[in-house]
Amino acid sequence: VAHGTEGHGHWHEGWMHPWLGLDHGLLILAAGFLSAMLPARERVLAMSAFVVSIGLGAWLGPVVGAFGLSMWFLLALSLLAIGMVTRAARASAVSLLALGGCFHGAWHTVAGGWAPGFGLGLSLAMAVALGIGWALGRRVQTRIAMGAYRLA
C-alpha cells in the first residue's frame, strides 16, 4: 500500500499522508537520515532541496503527465534516486535527494492532483519527518563514532 489517504485536497489529508503512506514515510525518513550523514553545510542544503523539489515536481507534474509517463514509473524513479544517495559521492547526494523529491512531487500531480491545503499539511508533516530522520541519522553517526556499531 503506497498511500494511506485517498484525497489530496485538505490540509489534514496532507498532514496524515506521510504517516499513513508507506512510500512517503520511508522516503522522507531516508532523506533526513541520509542528510544527517553529510557535512554540516550540505546537511541543511540537502533537506531544503528535497522539500523544495517535491513542490517543484508537483508543479511540473502536468507537463510530465503529458509525456505519458506512468505514475508508478515516477514513484520508482523517486525511490531509486534516494537509494542511490547511499552510494553517491557527497557532491552528488544533494542532487540525488532533490531529484528523488522532484519525481515524487510529479507523481502526486500525475496520480490525482495537489490542492494548496494538501501541500501545506504535507509540508508541515515533511518537516517533522525530516527532523525525525535527521535525529535518527545523527544518533547512528554518534554511535558509529563511539564504536558501538562495527562497519564491515
Side-chain angles (χ1 to χ4, degrees), residues 42-130:
E42 295 170 15
R43 196 174 300 145
V44 173
L45 178 63
M47 290 191 290
S48 300
F50 179 75
V51 173
V52 168
S53 68
I54 284 184
L56 177 65
W59 183 69
L60 291 173
V63 175
V64 172
F67 286 106
L69 291 176
S70 159
M71 64 182 193
W72 300 113
F73 179 71
L74 291 169
L75 181 60
L77 286 177
S78 72
L79 296 173
L80 177 65
I82 298 298
M84 288 173 60
V85 171
T86 62
R87 295 289 185 198
R90 285 195 308 223
S92 303
V94 174
S95 299
L96 286 169
L97 283 170
L99 187 62
C102 191
F103 284 135
H104 205 83
W107 183 94
H108 271 281
T109 51
V110 170
W114 184 317
F118 179 85
L120 174 65
L122 180 60
S123 296
L124 293 172
M126 265 196 316
V128 171
L130 275 171

Side-chain angles (χ1 to χ4, degrees), residues 6-14 113-119:
E6 293 299 320
H8 286 98
H10 301 286
W11 75 269
H12 57 86
E13 292 168 331
W114 184 317
F118 179 85

Side-chain angles (χ1 to χ4, degrees), residues 124-152:
L124 293 172
M126 265 196 316
V128 171
L130 275 171
I132 292 169
W134 178 83
L136 290 171
R138 294 297 294 169
R139 174 86 171 147
V140 167
Q141 192 176 42
T142 301
R143 302 220 11 130
I144 288 171
M146 292 173 39
Y149 301 128
R150 293 181 193 257
L151 300 177

